[in-house]
Amino acid sequence: MALLFYSASDDPAEWRELLAAELPGREVRVWPEVGDPDEIDYALLWKAPPGLIAPCRRVKVVFALGAGVDPVLADPAIPRDVPVVRLVEAGLTQGMVEYVLLHVLAWHRNLYTYRYLQQRGAWRQLAERLAPERRVGLLGLGVLGQAAARALQAVGFEVAGWSRTPKRLDGIASFAGAAGLDELLARSEILVCLLPLTPETRGILNRETFAALPKEAVVINAARGGHLVERNLLEALDSGHIAAATLDVFETEPLPPDHAFWQHPKVTVTPHVAAATHARSAAGSVIRQMERYEAGLPLENVVNLAKGY
Ligand code: NDP
Ligand code: OXD
């Protein structure tokens, strides 16, 4: 039997080597070398062209090469009767923790304002606050949200998070559901989005959400571009209600050269790099799930297709 690999952004040669070393007896085929599609029983996909696995009718498990499975589920050819396993791995989590800490601290300690002042040769000491005096709110308290929350808490921030179901996390306030969202927003001076993109969360960073944040809040979106209503953010930045934003993800990627975010003085753009998939640790995580499956053990990190994450 064979595994079919396709990724728009990962090195197939590296993955082939890593997988082949750990999966003796299983052929690793990198698309377009599909061979006999009936021999493909595992598929490992990231941003595959729609319909790519339609001919592979004997696929037993689809592995996503990312944590957010929206690009995989967007393909109507993904079978609905086989498990889709998303990527949960230490490298991805570490990357996101670093990204969130970096950008929360940058805004918290006025890094961009000092840079602006430096460029003008201006020696001006701004009012500084310490982390326990700053409230950070996370949209999403899953694998990445909880890891980021813990890291922010360790620095001393007052951290709260929002999820579909309430959480019990020592020292981290948990809000859930529609009513919980308003409470979370009202107390978030820095808001970090780490939600999956689903029909329920699309457009959640919108005019009403921004209005519910305290004046001069900062917004960090490291989840998906589809969460953000871009024109609403531009309005909120122009009105001054939102002080600044850091955006890693965009509705259109790469961000078009003429997009307003590139030159906006209150926006920091990063090119979808918050948390990259690291082949070595990620391959280990995928192989572990295949071994569980072969041993008849329940798969972990299976996507709930009804919820979309
Ligand atoms: P998880 O599935 O572990 O966590 C998702 C969280 O969002 C859960 O807490 C879940 O609630 C909550 N949630 C989902 N839907 C709703 C809703 N309708 N209302 C309230 N809360 C909701 O995902 P991860 O933490 O692993 O990843 C989060 C996202 O980060 C990914 O989906 C992806 O889009 C993005 N990402 C971005 C990267 C980048 O480089 N920019 C890299 C990796 C991921 P509950 O716990 O109750 O289920
Ligand atoms: C992911 C991503 O979801 O890289 O893993 O965006």
Side-chain angles (χ1 to χ4, degrees), residues 68 86 141-144 162-165 167 196 200 222 248 275 309:
R86 70 188 195 92
L141 275 179
V143 173
L144 302 180
W162 182 68
S163 44
R164 187 195 289 270
T165 52
K167 308 284 175 228
E200 283 180 35
D248 184 55
Y309 70 98

Side-chain angles (χ1 to χ4, degrees), residues 151-291:
L152 291 164
Q153 184 189 38
V155 177
F157 288 106
E158 204 178 311
V159 185
W162 182 68
S163 44
R164 187 195 289 270
T165 52
K167 308 284 175 228
R168 292 169 81 103
L169 301 170
D170 231 14
I172 294 170
S174 157
F175 298 91
L181 179 59
D182 287 341
E183 283 182 79
L184 184 281
L185 295 173
R187 47 152 293 152
S188 298
E189 295 168 280
I190 300 180
L191 182 74
V192 182
C193 181
L194 284 176
L195 287 165
L197 185 63
T198 68
E200 283 180 35
T201 64
R202 177 171 284 283
I204 194 165
L205 299 175
N206 58 34
R207 184 176 293 127
E208 289 74 36
T209 300
F210 299 141
L213 289 168
K215 188 160 168 46
E216 296 186 343
V218 168
V219 173
I220 298 174
N221 186 16
R224 287 289 182 262
H227 288 124
L228 175 67
V229 183
E230 294 182 349
R231 65 177 183 287
N232 289 176
L233 177 63
L234 289 167
E235 289 157 11
L237 289 167
D238 290 348
S239 76
H241 186 71
I242 298 297
T246 291
L247 306 174
D248 184 55
V249 284
F250 304 90
E251 191 72 75
T252 304
E253 294 182 5
L255 188 64
D258 58 347
H259 197 290
F261 287 153
W262 281 119
Q263 303 301 332
H264 201 294
K266 297 179 182 174
V267 175
T268 299
V269 169
T270 55
H272 200 143
V273 289
T277 297
H278 294 264
R280 257 168 216 291
S281 49
S285 149
V286 171
I287 289 160
R288 200 161 47 251
Q289 294 311 317
M290 287 179 195
E291 286 169 350

